[in-house]
Amino acid sequence: MLRVQDRAVHQCDSGWVPVFVGQDRAVALMSIGFLLERPDDAVVWRGPKKNALIKQFVTDVAWGDLDFLIVDTPPGTSDEHISTVEALRPHRLLGAILVTTPQAVSVGDVRRELTFCKKTGLRVLGVVENMSGFVCPHCSGSGIHDSLLFFLLQECTNIFSKGGGEELAKHAGVPFLGCVPLDPQLSQSLEEGRDFIQEFPKSSAFPALAHIAQQILDTSQQSS
Amino acid sequence: MADAVGAARPEECPGTGSAQAGSAAACQGCPNQGLCAAGAAGPDPAEAAELRARLRAVRHTVLVLSGKGGVGKSTFSAALAHGLAADEHKQVALLDIDICGPSIPKIMGLEGEQVHQSGSGWSPVYVEENLGVMSVGFLLSSPDDAVIWRGPKKNGLIKQFLRDVDWGEVDYLIVDTPPGTSDEHLSIVQYLSATHIDGAVIVTTPQEISLQDVRKEINFCHKVKLPIIGVVENMSGFVCPKCKKESQIFPPTTGGAEKMCQNLNVSLLGKVPLDPQIGRSCDRGQSFLSEAPDSPATLSYRNIIQSKSGNHCALSVPSTAAIYKGVKQDYFATNNKTGNVHSNSESNSCKYHVCFWASVLTGF
């Protein structure tokens, strides 16, 4: 997604050197994707091998001075999640952001993630509702202002429904960070290999994500 | 797979089912070391016999895989189970081995149900008389309960699901998996190697970022010698229920699953368009196929399912053409980037899809 899939990871005296993204090198990235011989290679590992690599990613990568370490995890509450929390606990773990789509099926899984956070003592920074609301571009561009027709048009919005994330946050007593709309144009530009960092500020998802980022910044400043 | 491991065992082989399999000193140099270390070596003979006995009345087994989460794999598994069970004479079983994120009970309208034990084992939970379901979701007392287990415990439960559930006579066992290529996938392939797996269906969305993971999934299947029945492209276009116009929410910028399947010589089983009713049906635990019988998505599912159940009538070209006439042709014709439809594509698409569906039959 960040157009660095062809880069390799090198070793230095202080450990593995992460891959830096962008001209200002503001983002450092580490992923098993950099360690594969071919991009289509499957990583067919059981838990212990995955746990060992996660530990290495935390202890053996020369991250340098970081303001934020963001960890992207697979879905679930298993080896990767347990190992990540264990490995990061000594390192000022700020907390977890839980991402859901609005539907009940997705929210149902995230309820269990919330329990995982509680049981492992992981602070929940908040819930994000992703893919929240989509308006058919043909209908929305039709210029119809009649209130009755507009009411009927609501059926063609919210393909993945709406509101489930906010309800979940309320039910669980955790902050709701916001809704992020589905932006097919952002998806398209990423697919076409355009620079995410350049394209992202133009996206309709940007204001929502910027607002979420600001809340995280505020929380981190309060914590320190 | 068991034969490959049976040959050329080192003298002090720890055993293929042992925790040291692949990593003991004696494993160095063994040609099967890689397989054992990945845990794909097969169950011990005693376990294999037990599993074989329990699953002897299962005629067809299909694994539903995906590289990525959120592509609609559980939705597809549920639709497949409902669709196959529409034939009252067929007995269908749906096994959910997504231990940490069991969605199947909700999608099948079985939330809150519990598993009962009888003399012959655990009873599946029945949606219909001929459609039984098993999931860890039925073993949890609250929707908030989390299953925070490492691999070995998950593997143990998967083995129990296969060994201790009284599936009875089953025509189709559909196994819904979590995304990826890890413990659950290795274990299910390992345990089912005692009997027979017809193959895997891999679900994807059209984007390259999803296809990248599908290629890995295909490589996983090759590594563990799991036949690939084919690929289903989900969320393939959206037809607005109001204005009936098509948009691409997840654009197939690198040709989608169709191009990938051509390149990798894998069958494309079908493309299922996005319909908001699908999500609503899943949330309410109702069969989308029954709730929205006229949806283009339902027609896509039915075409895939009819080919799997060996219903030759569905594959005759005239009836396939009739199905296409009833469906917005945009889905199946080749689109250029502005969304215009090539007018001559209909007959080509018909032949194209019949060829694919005919190839699917050989998987069953």
Side-chain angles (χ1 to χ4, degrees):
Chain A
M1 288 177 74
L2 296 176
R3 298 197 320 158
V4 289
Q5 62 269 32
D6 298 325
R7 303 266 286 277
V9 164
H10 303 286
Q11 281 235 333
C12 68
D13 289 339
S14 25
W16 296 356
V17 181
V19 171
F20 289 95
V21 179
Q23 285 187 342
D24 56 2
R25 296 162 63 93
V27 175
L29 180 59
M30 181 53 65
S31 163
I32 195 175
F34 298 130
L35 308 177
L36 301 175
E37 277 184 28
R38 280 176 302 267
D40 296 342
D41 281 347
V43 178
V44 187
W45 287 356
R46 288 195 183 272
K49 271 186 103 163
K50 292 193 286 184
N51 300 337
L53 184 65
I54 288 168
K55 227 163 141 183
Q56 273 196 287
F57 278 166
V58 173
T59 56
D60 294 353
V61 173
W63 291 109
D65 284 330
L66 284 179
D67 294 291
F68 287 97
L69 175 65
I70 299 169
V71 185
D72 184 32
T73 64
T77 52
S78 187
D79 284 279
E80 294 89 335
H81 315 84
I82 300 168
S83 297
T84 301
V85 171
E86 281 177 358
L88 288 175
R89 218 187 276 285
H91 301 281
R92 292 173 59 191
L93 195 44
L94 184 64
I97 299 172
L98 276 60
V99 182
T100 183
T101 59
Q103 300 131 294
V105 171
S106 177
V107 166
D109 280 351
V110 178
R111 284 175 79 165
R112 305 188 200 278
E113 291 288 350
L114 281 165
T115 304
F116 168 83
C117 293
K118 216 197 252 169
K119 289 204 162 168
T120 54
L122 183 56
R123 177 184 177 183
V124 175
L125 299 173
V127 171
V128 169
E129 182 176 296
N130 203 11
M131 302 195 205
S132 183
F134 170 78
V135 180
C136 167
H138 302 285
C139 292
S140 64
S142 63
I144 293 172
H145 300 290
D146 182 280
S147 59
L148 174 62
L149 278 169
F150 184 74
F151 172 73
L152 290 173
L153 284 172
Q154 292 304 300
E155 281 205 37
C156 73
T157 67
N158 302 326
I159 285 176
F160 299 112
S161 74
K162 195 168 166 59
E166 191 162 6
E167 271 175 45
L168 172 67
K170 223 188 281 186
H171 165 85
V174 298
F176 179 63
L177 298 175
C179 294
V180 181
L182 192 52
D183 179 5
Q185 286 184 336
L186 180 64
S187 185
Q188 173 127 16
S189 69
L190 291 179
E191 293 270 300
E192 288 169 355
R194 283 187 253 146
D195 188 338
F196 177 82
I197 295 184
Q198 298 291 325
E199 296 295 314
F200 177 51
K202 306 176 207 163
S203 165
S204 59
F206 181 75
L209 280 157
H211 176 60
I212 291 167
Q214 187 59 53
Q215 293 176 79
I216 302 301
L217 277 168
D218 293 343
T219 305
S220 70
Q221 272 155 17
Q222 282 164 15
S223 295
S224 50
Chain B
M1 248 195 305
D3 287 339
V5 176
R9 282 192 193 216
E11 246 181 64
E12 298 193 6
C13 168
T16 57
S18 152
Q20 272 84 49
S23 52
C27 301
Q28 297 298 323
C30 172
N32 302 307
Q33 184 184 16
L35 269 179
C36 287
D44 268 334
E47 277 179 353
E50 237 183 322
L51 291 167
R52 219 174 354 253
R54 184 57 99 172
L55 298 171
R56 69 181 178 282
V58 175
R59 290 181 61 217
H60 297 291
T61 302
V62 177
L63 301 196
V64 182
L65 308 175
S66 75
K68 268 230 168 314
V71 298
K73 180 177 28 57
S74 297
T75 307
F76 176 79
S77 299
L80 181 59
H82 274 298
L84 289 168
D87 180 350
E88 293 165 352
H89 304 293
K90 298 292 179 198
Q91 198 65 29
V92 181
L94 177 55
L95 172 59
D96 177 9
I97 62 166
D98 189 344
I99 307 294
C100 295
S103 309
I104 292 293
K106 185 167 196 66
I107 295 173
M108 299 298 280
L110 298 173
E111 260 193 324
E113 295 285 342
Q114 301 282 304
V115 166
H116 301 286
Q117 275 226 341
S118 71
S120 41
W122 296 359
S123 298
V125 179
Y126 285 90
V127 178
E128 315 278 350
E129 263 191 54
N130 67 334
L131 175 49
V133 181
M134 181 53 65
S135 167
V136 72
F138 300 136
L139 308 176
L140 302 172
S141 48
S142 155
D144 293 317
D145 283 349
V147 181
I148 308 172
W149 289 356
R150 290 195 184 272
K153 267 188 106 164
K154 293 193 287 184
N155 301 337
L157 184 62
I158 291 169
K159 201 190 324 186
Q160 269 198 288
F161 278 158
L162 294 173
R163 188 192 60 205
D164 295 346
V165 173
D166 181 18
W167 293 107
E169 302 259 345
V170 170
D171 293 288
Y172 301 102
L173 172 62
I174 313 291
V175 184
D176 186 42
T177 64
T181 53
S182 186
D183 281 277
E184 295 89 334
H185 314 86
L186 282 167
S187 293
I188 195 72
V189 168
Q190 175 186 329
Y191 298 138
L192 288 176
S193 69
T195 61
H196 169 68
I197 312 178
D198 289 82
V201 173
I202 307 175
V203 181
T204 182
T205 54
Q207 307 122 297
E208 175 57 26
I209 202 135
S210 179
L211 298 176
Q212 274 178 11
D213 285 349
V214 173
R215 291 187 195 101
K216 294 185 207 287
E217 206 68 31
I218 289 171
N219 276 327
F220 164 78
C221 292
H222 291 148
K223 252 188 189 173
V224 298
K225 296 183 176 42
L226 175 61
I228 299 171
I229 297 172
V231 172
V232 170
E233 184 180 271
N234 205 11
M235 305 193 202
S236 183
F238 164 67
V239 171
C240 178
K242 283 295 139 201
C243 70
K244 310 294 183 198
K245 291 193 180 142
E246 184 188 358
S247 14
Q248 288 287 354
I249 298 183
F250 303 115
T253 42
T254 55
E258 192 168 328
K259 183 103 185 283
M260 181 196 68
C261 288
Q262 279 171 357
N263 292 343
L264 298 179
N265 198 26
V266 167
S267 295
L268 176 66
L269 300 179
K271 298 183 187 182
V272 182
L274 193 48
D275 184 332
Q277 181 66 42
I278 297 177
R280 288 197 275 272
S281 296
C282 285
D283 283 358
R284 293 200 284 252
Q286 288 152 345
S287 167
F288 169 71
L289 302 181
S290 310
E291 292 289 297
D294 299 323
S295 163
T298 299
L299 287 165
S300 294
Y301 277 131
R302 290 210 182 281
N303 288 335
I304 294 168
I305 290 162
Q306 281 180 332
S307 67
K308 277 192 182 353
S309 62
N311 181 353
H312 293 269
C313 299
L315 295 183
S316 65
V317 174
S319 67
T320 307
I323 289 168
Y324 282 122
K325 282 188 177 129
V327 173
K328 185 127 175 106
Q329 285 149 20
D330 298 341
Y331 287 113
F332 301 104
T334 311
N335 293 338
N336 62 28
K337 288 214 167 165
T338 60
N340 293 331
V341 173
H342 295 297
S343 55
N344 291 332
S345 58
E346 179 188 348
S347 59
N348 289 337
S349 318
C350 281
K351 287 178 207 160
Y352 172 85
H353 280 276
V354 165
C355 287
F356 274 132
W357 294 335
S359 73
V360 164
L361 269 186
T362 60
F364 268 60

